[in-house]
Amino acid sequence: MAAMANTLFVGNLPFNTSDDDIALAFAAYGCTSAKMQYHEDSGRSKGWALVTVSTDLATVAEQMNDTDFQGRNLLVREDRGKVKKEPREPRAPRQQGEKPARKPRAPRDENEVVPENNIIFVGNLPWDVDSESLAAFFPGHIEANVQTSRDGRSAGYGLVTYENVALATDAITLNNGMDIGGRTVFCRYDRGKTPKFNAAAEY
């Protein structure tokens, strides 16, 4: 769906929120439309809505962002439209009966110090959160992808990439422990990743 010049993204909503509930919350800003977003396959709420208002978006976002709504702090910003997903490369066909070789997993050092980098690991995600929903909670990112298993289902975690380490660090501080879909997610630097940023961007 394309972003509209007067449309807001409103996130961290309870799953039972109705369009009327959102419209009422934004009535003072000339709300003309409020639409909760749902998964096409299951019909379940994504926990966010698109709200059209007649008031200046920056003003509404500043006044409504982080305000309490039914016991949750709203995430309000200008809608950016649908997140573009990169096409995956097709896998080579597997011979009948052939099983992929698995590499033995080395034991993890509990005292391992994860180096700071520009990629965030976001864990404990609800199973119905997709890449588009994840991206909405991490403004300013370059890329946000929910990781999936071989059957295409969510693996329960995602990776969010920022332009530099400083932005990633701020995002971890802001979002670690936040509620997404009734779960408390945890955010940390991704293990074993080489920073993918231009050093000049941190100046």
Side-chain angles (χ1 to χ4, degrees), residues 55-77:
T55 308
D56 175 67
L57 293 184
T59 300
V60 182
E62 180 180 0
Q63 294 182 7
M64 291 295 291
N65 187 52
D66 205 34
T67 57
D68 180 79
F69 178 83
Q70 298 183 7
R72 294 191 177 189
N73 291 339
L74 292 179
L75 174 63
V76 182
R77 60 163 172 76

Side-chain angles (χ1 to χ4, degrees), residues 152-196:
R153 296 182 180 181
S154 169
Y157 72 95
L159 298 176
V160 181
T161 303
Y162 282 87
E163 185 177 6
N164 54 53
V165 173
L167 291 175
T169 301
D170 290 343
I172 291 174
T173 302
L174 179 65
N175 296 312
N176 187 42
M178 75 172 172
D179 182 282
I180 295 182
R183 288 192 177 187
T184 301
V185 302
F186 61 90
C187 304
R188 59 165 171 77
Y189 299 112
D190 187 40
R191 289 188 172 96
K193 297 293 184 181
T194 302
K196 301 178 181 177

Side-chain angles (χ1 to χ4, degrees), residues 66-157:
D66 205 34
T67 57
D68 180 79
F69 178 83
Q70 298 183 7
R72 294 191 177 189
N73 291 339
L74 292 179
L75 174 63
V76 182
R77 60 163 172 76
E78 183 176 353
D79 179 44
R80 301 192 193 96
K82 191 170 183 178
V83 178
K84 183 179 179 181
K85 297 181 180 180
E86 296 296 330
R88 295 183 178 181
E89 294 183 2
R91 293 180 179 177
R94 186 186 303 168
Q95 299 297 326
Q96 185 174 5
E98 177 186 1
K99 293 185 178 180
R102 292 188 177 183
K103 295 181 179 179
R105 182 177 297 179
R108 178 172 295 165
D109 183 359
E110 296 299 328
N111 297 319
E112 173 190 7
V113 177
V114 181
E116 294 183 354
N117 63 85
N118 65 317
I119 303 176
I120 298 176
F121 175 96
V122 185
N124 199 34
L125 291 173
W127 302 117
D128 58 353
V129 169
D130 56 17
S131 295
E132 181 180 352
S133 303
L134 176 66
F137 288 97
F138 291 86
H141 67 276
I142 295 176
E143 185 179 9
N145 291 304
V146 170
Q147 305 301 294
T148 57
S149 55
R150 292 180 179 177
D151 60 5
R153 296 182 180 181
S154 169
Y157 72 95

